[in-house]
Amino acid sequence: MNAIQIKMREVAGQLLSLGEVDRVIGWEKGRFAHQSPPAFITDETKVERLIWDEYCLTGTAKYLLDDPYRAGKTGLFARGCDARAINRLIQDGQVKRENIVIIGICCTGMSDSVSRQMAAKCCDCTHPTPVVYDLMIGEPVKPVAKPERFKAVAELEQKAAQEKSEYWTRQFAKCIRCYACRNICPACNCRECFADQYRVGWLGKQHHTAENQVFGLTRAYHIADRCIECGECARVCPVGIPLMELNRKLIKDIQQLFGDYHAGVDSETAPPLGRYSLDDMEEFM
Amino acid sequence: MALMTEANWEPKVLAFCCNWCSYSGADLVGLNRMKYPENVRIVRVPCSARVNPQFIIRAFQRGADGVLVAGCHPGDCHYSTGNYYTRRRFLVMKRLLEFIGIESQRFQARWISGAEAVKFRDTVTKLCEDIKALGPQRKLRDQK
Amino acid sequence: MHILAKANLIEAIERLVKEFKVLVPMQYDGVSRFSVWGSHGMQAFNASNTLLPPKDSLFPRTETLYAYQVANQEITGVTVRDQAEHQIIFGIRPCDMQSIHCLDDVFLTKGYADSYYHSKREKLLTVCIGCTKSEPTCFCESMGINPAGHSGADIQMNDLGSGYRVVAQSQSGQEIVEKWKDLLSQGQEEVVAASCTLKVDMNGVPEMLATLFEHSLWQEVSRKCIGCGTCTYLCPTCHCFDMDIQNQGNQGTRFRCWDSCMFSDYSRMAGGHDPRPSKSERLRNRFLHKLQFFSERYGKSLCVGCGRCLIKCPVHVDITLLIDQVRKEAAHV
């Protein structure tokens, strides 16, 4: 059994038995070897369910929104991406830091459940070590810049308008409007999504390419400066739409236009589209 | 409003104009007996920062061939800072639209004051000409 | 028995193209589904199951019901859009064939036939290919389905290696086989059928579920659910829909489109009340509909064991694990 898993169970058991938290969120084994879905443990005798292996892909932080007014504290196992997600939720006023005990895990990357190679979202990870934590398991590693994660975006930018349009039309033609991308996303924390307010007319319920595009683009723009690059949207998409390419395009432009910004690395610096500078680039004169 | 056929196609251009500057600028075009293309439909908004970027996507989907967002010059916003946010938002939005294959001429943002009738006229005239040259926008359209 | 050599498969399909819209399993851009013969992509007759179910050929994602115009505040020119084409689903698997039977029950029985579904169903022919291999997620056998074939298909085919055994199971199936006459040879070969490795015990589960409506297991199972619609939209039998209108200028259409009981706005009523306010109620409803309500009403399971939701659920909510758990909990009640 791996050292992280032993430590996880130990820490969870302690926190629960001391009453510091009344539940922990980690991962457990699913039916198949390549499935490690999230686990919710409230009983210290059940900590043996917790596991740590290369398929712990699902983010844990978004689950904090399920019952925002619950009384007890939650012990949350958090990898680098989960820690940024927690900052995201704190900054967006969704959760209170004092209600969470963050058990950081220094993550070395997960495997894709189909290809068994390192998962795409982990290949592009810049902060494998949690940026915020109360307890830490494992040896921290420094953040890596990974400018190569913008490569696909840069290549697509070079293409002709027609080609770009055909590419995205083909992608959104596949969309089945399951909203898994939205529901898994820690930046998608609106109490009611515009996509659910269809009587208002933001978005039609029709399943066709045009409406799918309106949904996808609006969602991408809405999280533009708040995306923490966890890559969960692209991972959960059942039809494989490269949603991170849209997010990365926005992140890349925002960095070029308004300076270096990494969402969720801290919970203080306001997202770039929520502030301004008098010296911003002028293109509209 | 009959459906336009390919042969008699005329561009539809949607212009979001801020109430305090650009809308007055457009008004002044008429007061000065100048003309601007009939292809432009103006939507008056309290501030250019009121323009939700989704409005642009939705306009293209529902049949606009071009979209203009016009607001007060930086420093002149009726609400002091609205157009600074507009500037950030649409710098990013413009690039996103290009990324998904919308020609850059189809979406524009401009600062047009209440006194700049000529600038309004010239901006929309140029916009309509550019879009006429490009042809109908079908990429985000409902009916292709 | 009739055997269609694999070399003749394309010719056999080509003969149908004139009269029918032929849908075959295709892989394109990372997604497998039933697409029109000749469209982009790779044929996937050997793959066990398509990612997207074939239900949209009978029950489209978005379907225009009627169109209208408005003149002087009066509605004029209402045109009902209810034209169906002759379609063949070629290469449907037994689990998906069973799903069409479930949809038939919903849309055609109990005193009301949905005309939009009915007109398409009447003009649909099905060619079922029995499975020779099963995926680890397949559990159709546990749902009472035979992986070797389905008696409801118009034509039943079975892969024999070099060719397919062809059996017409209906009048219209017979007519198709007539067209293939010169392509078919005679022979005797053993039909090999797959056997599912994943097994669940469905015996008595509907009755057990009836006693577990208020049980805490629903809270527990739903905790990890993210409330997306992946399971319902990939499910071959889910059939919930919503209706709305789209207006543009002086014309408009009324359409219906797929909807999902997993969504927060699905059961919300006009006054704002939602009888299924959280994901545990929604998930319970989905599973009870699959495993209890449908069998009470129509005498069969609404889960056909195709395994799509097991594969694609982002957080691995697993209906087979749920069934196991239901058995366990029911033993305690």
Side-chain angles (χ1 to χ4, degrees):
Chain A
M1 211 194 318
N2 63 58
I4 289 181
Q5 183 171 305
I6 296 168
K7 191 79 186 151
M8 276 170 78
R9 292 177 181 178
E10 187 188 312
V11 170
Q14 272 170 4
L15 289 173
L16 285 166
S17 64
L18 292 173
E20 292 207 16
V21 301
D22 63 0
R23 67 162 177 182
V24 293
I25 307 181
W27 301 268
E28 65 187 341
K29 217 52 219 163
R31 182 180 280 282
F32 298 103
H34 62 271
Q35 297 181 338
S36 305
F40 302 79
I41 291 166
T42 49
D43 182 348
E44 58 182 281
T45 61
K46 300 269 173 67
V47 293
E48 297 299 307
R49 271 169 57 199
L50 286 171
I51 58 112
W52 176 256
D53 66 9
E54 76 238 69
Y55 298 112
C56 297
L57 284 153
T58 311
T60 50
K62 184 80 187 272
Y63 289 105
L64 293 170
L65 298 189
D66 280 346
D67 30 5
Y69 306 116
R70 76 194 293 280
K73 274 190 177 192
T74 299
L76 197 72
F77 284 103
R79 304 154 296 170
C81 46
D82 300 318
R84 286 176 76 178
I86 294 167
N87 272 339
R88 167 85 284 123
L89 296 173
I90 293 171
Q91 192 171 25
D92 292 347
Q94 299 293 325
V95 296
K96 288 204 168 74
R97 178 70 180 86
E98 58 267 31
N99 292 340
I100 327 160
V101 174
I102 306 170
I103 312 143
I105 298 178
C106 300
C107 177
T108 48
M110 295 293 152
S111 298
D112 185 275
S113 50
V114 180
S115 73
R116 312 287 158 111
Q117 305 286 311
M118 185 180 280
K121 69 172 210 162
C122 300
C123 292
D124 294 334
C125 175
T126 54
H127 293 73
T129 302
V131 289
V132 54
Y133 58 89
D134 295 304
L135 303 157
M136 182 77 102
I137 301 177
E139 279 304 306
V141 280
K142 282 212 169 75
V144 254
K146 296 212 177 149
E148 69 273 14
R149 69 190 196 279
F150 295 110
K151 201 169 150 242
V153 172
E155 278 167 17
L156 203 52
E157 277 171 348
Q158 299 308 313
K159 299 202 165 134
Q162 189 57 32
E163 219 175 321
K164 288 190 269 197
S165 156
E166 276 162 16
Y167 176 77
W168 286 110
T169 307
R170 201 178 77 224
Q171 296 300 340
F172 280 111
K174 292 195 288 187
C175 174
I176 60 168
R177 292 277 282 282
C178 65
Y179 301 134
C181 51
R182 173 194 73 184
N183 290 11
I184 203 87
C185 174
C188 269
N189 50 42
C190 292
R191 191 166 297 170
E192 192 178 7
C193 177
F194 78 98
D196 290 339
Q197 298 180 319
Y198 70 104
R199 290 279 173 217
V200 185
W202 297 113
L203 182 70
K205 258 198 150 175
Q206 302 91 313
H207 292 211
H208 59 54
T209 312
E211 295 288 357
N212 299 350
Q213 265 172 328
V214 173
F215 168 69
L217 295 173
T218 307
R219 196 189 89 82
Y221 192 91
H222 197 189
I223 61 160
D225 55 340
R226 301 181 304 117
C227 170
I228 56 152
E229 296 187 69
C230 64
E232 279 287 86
C233 50
R235 178 185 73 85
V236 300
C237 180
V239 292
I241 301 172
L243 291 162
M244 277 311 285
E245 284 177 18
L246 277 181
N247 298 342
R248 288 239 158 78
K249 163 69 183 164
L250 290 157
I251 291 165
K252 179 170 172 268
D253 286 343
I254 287 171
Q255 290 193 351
Q256 274 165 7
L257 288 163
F258 314 125
D260 214 24
Y261 181 75
H262 300 276
V265 168
D266 66 73
S267 58
E268 275 76 48
T269 323
L273 293 178
R275 52 188 157 90
Y276 65 89
S277 157
L278 297 179
D279 310 322
D280 281 339
M281 182 200 267
E282 186 53 80
E283 276 184 6
F284 303 150
M285 203 51 91
Chain B
M1 204 167 79
L3 265 188
M4 274 189 284
T5 57
E6 243 2 71
N8 65 1
W9 175 77
E10 279 285 329
K12 276 190 199 140
V13 175
L14 198 63
F16 293 99
C17 292
C18 129
N19 176 52
W20 306 99
C21 291
S22 313
Y23 192 82
S24 310
D27 218 12
L28 197 62
V29 178
L31 286 174
N32 286 341
R33 307 267 167 133
M34 295 188 286
K35 270 200 73 145
Y36 66 84
E38 304 82 351
N39 309 77
V40 181
R41 279 89 161 154
I42 294 180
V43 177
R44 182 162 65 158
V45 287
C47 176
S48 56
R50 170 65 185 90
V51 184
N52 183 330
Q54 199 206 11
F55 294 176
I56 317 296
I57 303 172
R58 198 73 167 144
F60 281 129
Q61 184 211 358
R62 287 305 188 88
D65 299 298
V67 180
L68 171 74
V69 174
C72 308
H73 283 258
D76 288 350
C77 179
H78 185 78
Y79 309 99
S80 307
T81 57
N83 53 4
Y84 290 122
Y85 292 100
T86 311
R87 184 160 67 185
R88 283 209 161 186
R89 265 175 223 168
F90 289 107
L91 280 169
V92 177
M93 187 66 189
K94 195 173 162 53
R95 287 162 173 75
L96 178 66
L97 288 171
E98 280 173 40
F99 188 64
I100 56 155
I102 302 290
E103 297 86 351
S104 57
Q105 298 94 313
R106 291 197 191 272
F107 171 73
Q108 286 181 24
R110 282 287 175 277
W111 310 130
I112 298 169
S113 81
E116 290 179 317
V118 175
K119 184 173 181 184
F120 184 86
R121 182 197 62 187
D122 292 349
T123 304
V124 294
T125 310
K126 173 84 170 52
L127 186 60
C128 290
E129 279 168 8
D130 286 351
I131 289 164
K132 268 185 186 156
L134 283 169
Q137 191 286 122
R138 295 182 196 284
K139 288 170 180 164
L140 290 176
R141 279 293 290 278
D142 263 336
Q143 284 105 16
K144 300 222 172 194
Chain C
M1 68 190 189
H2 294 304
I3 293 174
L4 176 70
K6 282 196 173 166
N8 287 335
L9 182 66
I10 289 178
E11 170 61 20
I13 293 173
E14 290 284 350
R15 285 194 192 174
L16 308 173
V17 172
K18 262 191 213 130
E19 281 173 72
F20 297 93
K21 181 172 149 191
V22 183
L23 299 163
V24 295
M26 296 270 254
Q27 173 88 23
Y28 178 59
D29 214 7
V31 177
S32 59
R33 67 174 85 196
F34 285 88
S35 315
V36 182
W37 177 255
S39 55
H40 286 293
M42 293 236 307
Q43 292 156 26
F45 287 110
N46 292 328
S48 35
N49 227 335
T50 52
L51 172 65
L52 303 185
K55 64 179 175 183
D56 61 338
S57 52
L58 287 168
F59 170 51
R61 300 182 157 274
T62 305
E63 180 171 30
T64 302
L65 303 176
Y66 56 85
Y68 51 84
Q69 273 114 42
V70 180
N72 301 323
Q73 311 216 323
E74 293 279 329
I75 291 177
T76 57
V78 177
T79 39
V80 177
R81 302 260 181 88
D82 193 7
Q83 301 125 350
E85 313 169 77
H86 286 278
Q87 295 185 97
I88 289 189
I89 304 182
F90 197 107
I92 192 169
R93 296 289 172 184
C95 52
D96 286 347
M97 194 58 231
Q98 174 68 12
S99 77
I100 292 183
H101 272 221
C102 294
L103 294 178
D104 286 349
D105 283 342
V106 174
F107 287 107
L108 302 175
T109 65
K110 304 271 178 198
Y112 179 75
D114 180 281
S115 68
Y116 294 90
Y117 183 89
H118 190 239
S119 57
K120 288 187 208 51
R121 184 67 178 100
E122 275 196 318
K123 293 182 176 174
L124 178 77
L125 253 97
T126 45
V127 181
C128 179
I129 300 183
C131 295
T132 45
K133 59 168 188 189
S134 72
E135 297 294 321
T137 47
C138 288
F139 58 104
C140 66
E141 271 180 313
S142 307
M143 294 295 157
I145 295 158
N146 178 6
H150 197 286
S151 59
D154 293 296
I155 295 174
Q156 176 61 47
M157 299 196 0
N158 285 88
D159 196 334
L160 304 168
S162 58
Y164 293 100
R165 182 186 75 142
V166 178
V167 180
Q169 302 188 126
S170 73
Q171 183 58 38
S172 32
Q174 188 59 44
E175 284 164 24
I176 300 293
V177 174
E178 290 295 318
K179 288 186 214 288
W180 293 342
K181 222 169 188 174
D182 56 310
L183 299 174
L184 300 172
S185 57
Q186 295 297 316
Q188 278 303 326
E189 266 185 80
E190 189 80 11
V191 171
V192 200
S195 173
C196 299
T197 50
L198 178 56
K199 289 191 166 60
V200 280
D201 184 2
M202 268 301 281
N203 202 5
V205 166
E207 294 74 25
M208 292 174 196
L209 283 166
T211 66
L212 296 175
F213 191 78
E214 303 284 2
H215 200 277
S216 61
L217 87 98
W218 302 112
Q219 280 283 342
E220 209 180 305
V221 178
S222 67
R223 211 148 260 157
K224 63 186 170 185
C225 171
I226 59 167
C228 73
T230 307
C231 50
T232 52
Y233 287 160
L234 296 185
C235 179
T237 65
C238 271
H239 51 262
C240 290
F241 59 84
D242 193 8
M243 283 193 267
D244 203 359
I245 51 171
Q246 180 178 8
N247 290 325
Q248 190 148 28
N250 61 349
Q251 46 195 335
T253 54
R254 181 169 286 277
F255 64 88
R256 74 171 171 198
C257 64
W258 290 6
D259 201 355
S260 167
C261 60
M262 301 306 291
F263 293 161
S264 60
D265 61 336
Y266 176 80
S267 51
R268 194 191 300 145
M269 297 177 186
H273 174 66
D274 191 342
R276 296 182 208 132
S278 75
K279 58 189 184 183
S280 73
E281 290 90 2
R282 290 179 211 132
L283 192 105
R284 175 178 65 191
N285 176 69
R286 180 176 141 76
F287 282 138
L288 290 184
H289 191 194
K290 291 283 156 213
L291 304 171
Q292 182 200 342
F293 303 156
F294 199 82
S295 58
E296 284 171 0
R297 193 166 161 79
Y298 298 106
K300 55 170 86 97
S301 161
L302 193 59
C303 174
V304 295
C306 69
R308 289 180 173 97
C309 57
L310 270 61
I311 300 170
K312 282 296 176 181
C313 174
V315 291
H316 314 304
V317 175
D318 186 326
I319 192 167
T320 61
L321 287 177
L322 176 98
I323 295 168
D324 291 350
Q325 202 174 342
V326 163
R327 299 200 78 85
K328 210 171 79 191
E329 299 296 347
H332 294 169
V333 172

